[in-house]
Amino acid sequence: VRAEGARPSGDAAVDEAYAHLGSTYKLFWNVYKRHSIDAHGLPLIGTVHYGEDYENAFWNGAQMVFGDGDGEIFNRFTIAVDIIGHELTHGVIDTEAALLYQGQSGALNESLCDVFGALVKQYSLGQTARQADWLVGQGLFTEKVRARALRSMSEPGTAYDDPVLGKDPQPAHMRDYVDTPRDNGGVHINSGIPNRAFYLAATALNGNAWQGAGQVWYDTLCDKRLRHDAGFKDFAGLTIQIAGEKHDAAVRRAIDDAWKAVGVLP
Ligand SMILES: [Zn+2]
């Protein structure tokens, strides 16, 4: 319904998907010189109005699929640019570190998607690290839900507290790490810990989060030394090493402090 360069269709879901797929492409190309998610120019295709009242969005390995939400809990899934950035980053991870979707490597996988989703949003809005809201999926919940967003990267565990949904279960520190067999070992839960580390590093450095901390996270994701089954400590150590190799001492120190603040490093 809307090819590259075509005019707005008038269908909100189509036009949001078009705009946010474009914003995601722009971050990865303009900032990291990555030509689409596979680094080889894969066309970004989205299907909207999937199913009926479908309450999710996903990357199916070849394209994006968006539901309209049920209108009770969820609005349409094209509404939030960072959700689209998040889903497409799963494709980037699949072609780079391919972090196993289980336990800590799975939580790192989820966290990296939140990080680059947030960076797509901040880059498209021209916000510095300190201007950003660091919320993931703002606008996704309807007004009937007591929620600010799906997740908070600055204050994991505070995004929602609602009679139907319950309370945001994300920990913000290793002492509260959740050991659970559910959710592939809590991949959407424990991602709060590395999310907060990124937030702390980016805001300590201020400026644009897609430079500095964002560049280090991107380089780490693409580094051959990052194993498929990397845990939080492995990832943290590699970010510090890469910051030391490619950046000035302030970047390295901010990242080191951030991992210590969330208890990943002693
Ligand atoms: Zn995800």
Side-chain angles (χ1 to χ4, degrees), residues 72-74 141-150 157-169:
E72 284 292 313
I73 293 177
F74 286 110
F141 286 119
T142 65
E143 288 178 359
K144 295 168 193 166
V145 180
R146 274 192 235 156
R148 292 189 292 155
L150 269 186
T158 67
Y160 57 87
D161 191 353
D162 178 82
V164 175
L165 285 179
K167 190 180 173 302
D168 177 357

Side-chain angles (χ1 to χ4, degrees), residues 21 24-29 32-45 59 61-64 85 87-98 218 221-222 224:
L21 288 167
T24 304
Y25 180 85
K26 273 185 199 152
L27 173 83
F28 281 107
W29 175 249
Y32 305 119
K33 288 288 165 270
R34 183 184 190 86
H35 185 25
S36 192
I37 65 168
D38 64 345
H40 291 94
L42 182 78
L44 297 180
I45 296 168
W59 169 252
Q63 65 152 92
M64 281 299 306
E87 298 304 335
L88 290 174
T89 302
H90 278 303
V92 175
I93 293 172
D94 286 349
T95 57
E96 298 293 343
Y218 181 74
L221 164 61
C222 298
K224 294 288 172 261

Side-chain angles (χ1 to χ4, degrees), residues 86-87 90 101 109-111 113-114 151 187-188:
H86 174 113
E87 298 304 335
H90 278 303
Y101 206 65
N109 191 319
E110 270 305 308
S111 174
C113 293
D114 280 351
R151 291 183 283 278
V187 297
H188 294 88

Side-chain angles (χ1 to χ4, degrees), residues 161-198:
D161 191 353
D162 178 82
V164 175
L165 285 179
K167 190 180 173 302
D168 177 357
Q170 284 206 314
H173 190 280
M174 278 307 277
R175 72 172 89 86
D176 301 314
Y177 188 90
V178 179
D179 267 311
T180 172
R182 295 178 52 207
D183 184 31
N184 293 81
V187 297
H188 294 88
I189 298 172
N190 293 309
S191 54
I193 296 166
N195 274 0
R196 180 162 159 80
F198 183 81

